[in-house]
């Protein structure tokens, strides 16, 4: 079977991409508008890209009508954000925030998600997140136009808020204690609790 991505409609290409690029870590991104209203939304096109300087990226695609999501609108007003990692215990609340609320309505308030002040940026973080990366905006790279077009957001990590029970005895992050979830295709998710090891050559 060969798929010609050059001729696939965007929705079909999207379905194949999210159904095969697996598992995808989830960036639960909090932002704030110029007037102080907060936003919280999940994105599964997300990854760390370099430690020198510490930088990550996530990708808010445009809405089906081609307009930008509130996350992107906020970043253009206040170029700071927090990437909250999503543990299994936060999965349902994270999923709820994928719903589209009226512009300016806070997901923190709408879904009863406790917020905590960040140390280095204006947007709040999810208080219960095992790790929250406080970032300043490096750049936004638009790719494509219209519905499902991408806006690749690069952020410089300024601080990380790590829950006290996450490090192991050696002071390193313990994946079992993080208990993160990843996105699969459709409505499916996976957990990082099922692991195996391979020695690096």
């Amino acid at each position: 079977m060969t798929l010609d991505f050059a001729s696939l409609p965007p929705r079909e290409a999207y379905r194949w991409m999210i159904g095969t690029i697996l598992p995808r870590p989830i960036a639960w991104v909090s932002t704030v508008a110029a007037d102080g209203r907060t936003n919280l939304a999940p994105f599964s096109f997300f990854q760390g890209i370099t430690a020198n300087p510490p930088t990550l990226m996530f990708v808010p695609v445009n809405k089906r009508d081609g307009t930008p999501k509130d996350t992107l609108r906020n970043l253009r007003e206040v170029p700071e954000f927090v990437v909250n990692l999503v543990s299994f215990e936060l999965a349902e609340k994270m999923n709820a925030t994928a719903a589209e609320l009226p512009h300016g309505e806070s997901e923190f308030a709408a879904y009863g998600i406790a917020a905590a002040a960040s140390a280095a940026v204006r947007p709040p973080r999810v208080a219960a997140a095992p790790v929250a990366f406080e970032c300043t905006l490096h750049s936004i790279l638009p790719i494509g136009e219209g519905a499902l077009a991408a806006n690749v957001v690069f952020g410089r990590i300024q601080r990380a808020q790590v829950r006290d029970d996450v490090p192991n005895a050696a002071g390193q992050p313990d994946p079992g204690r993080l208990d993160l979830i990843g996105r699969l295709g459709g409505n499916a998710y996976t957990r990082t609790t099922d692991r195996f090891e391979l020695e690096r050559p």
Side-chain angles (χ1 to χ4, degrees), residues 56-179:
L56 53 74
M57 55 79 71
F58 73 96
V59 186
V61 298
N62 291 339
K63 299 178 186 177
R64 292 183 183 182
D65 63 2
T67 60
K69 294 183 176 179
D70 287 352
T71 297
L72 194 65
R73 294 172 65 171
N74 287 352
L75 283 172
R76 288 174 173 155
E77 295 179 8
V78 179
E80 301 173 346
F81 61 94
V82 180
V83 170
N84 304 277
L85 300 187
V86 183
S87 60
F88 179 72
E89 68 179 359
L90 293 172
E92 289 190 12
K93 287 192 174 183
M94 176 279 300
N95 187 54
T97 64
E100 193 171 318
L101 297 180
H103 176 63
E105 185 174 343
S106 173
E107 287 79 5
F108 282 100
Y111 302 110
I113 298 166
S118 297
V121 297
R122 284 167 280 184
R125 59 188 173 88
V126 174
V131 178
F133 293 107
E134 301 179 11
C135 303
T136 51
L137 180 66
H138 176 277
S139 57
I140 300 172
L141 175 64
I143 299 178
E145 297 179 355
L148 296 180
N151 303 278
V152 186
V153 175
F154 297 94
R156 184 77 58 85
I157 302 171
Q158 303 297 338
R159 302 275 179 89
Q161 305 296 337
V162 181
R163 205 174 58 203
D164 290 342
D165 64 339
V166 165
N168 59 22
Q172 298 301 309
D174 185 321
R177 296 177 183 184
L178 284 166
D179 193 15

Side-chain angles (χ1 to χ4, degrees), residues 3 8 16 28 56 87 90 106 134 175 192-193 198-199:
L3 296 170
L8 281 179
W16 274 98
W28 202 11
L56 53 74
S87 60
L90 293 172
S106 173
E134 301 179 11
T192 56
T193 49
L198 296 172
E199 290 288 335

